[in-house]
Amino acid sequence: KKKKHRFTNKITFASYGIDTDSISYGQDIFKSYALRDGAYGHYNMQGLRTNVFNETFIYEYEILPKINMYLIAAYNWRHVNTSIGSQDFHSFTVGLRSRIFNSYNDF
């Protein structure tokens, strides 16, 4: 944070297994229970191994200090990688943010 400007970079990584077309490992709650692969011998991250990297850059400009109101612009990049291939998702948002009752930082 510098005077009325605040820059934030958030990075997250997740790794999990997803269901295949014919077998439900529990990732999709709407798939039939009958599609499961038995009752025993299961372990974490079964199914199609998926790695997700997410990074968000946030710029905030303080408008009203009394109520902690900020004008924000954020860019989000999400990279999903599996053995089948990879995909990138991009989004950009602009808006107003208020921290009326919250004065904590995310670190």
Side-chain angles (χ1 to χ4, degrees), residues 18 48-52 79-89:
I18 61 174
L48 181 62
R49 175 83 179 258
T50 304
N51 296 320
V52 178
H79 179 74
V80 180
N81 187 21
T82 65
S83 60
I84 295 173
S86 63
Q87 291 180 311
D88 288 312
F89 302 94

Side-chain angles (χ1 to χ4, degrees), residues 14-31:
S15 187
Y16 54 90
I18 61 174
D19 298 338
T20 61
D21 291 336
S22 59
I23 299 174
S24 174
Y25 293 106
Q27 189 265 340
D28 185 355
I29 62 171
F30 298 109
K31 277 196 174 179

Side-chain angles (χ1 to χ4, degrees), residues 51-81:
N51 296 320
V52 178
F53 177 81
N54 195 63
E55 186 166 19
T56 305
F57 298 101
I58 303 168
Y59 167 74
E60 298 174 302
Y61 179 77
E62 189 175 38
I63 298 172
L64 299 170
K66 282 191 167 193
I67 61 170
N68 280 335
M69 182 166 286
Y70 295 85
L71 176 65
I72 68 161
Y75 168 72
N76 186 50
W77 171 56
R78 180 180 177 93
H79 179 74
V80 180
N81 187 21

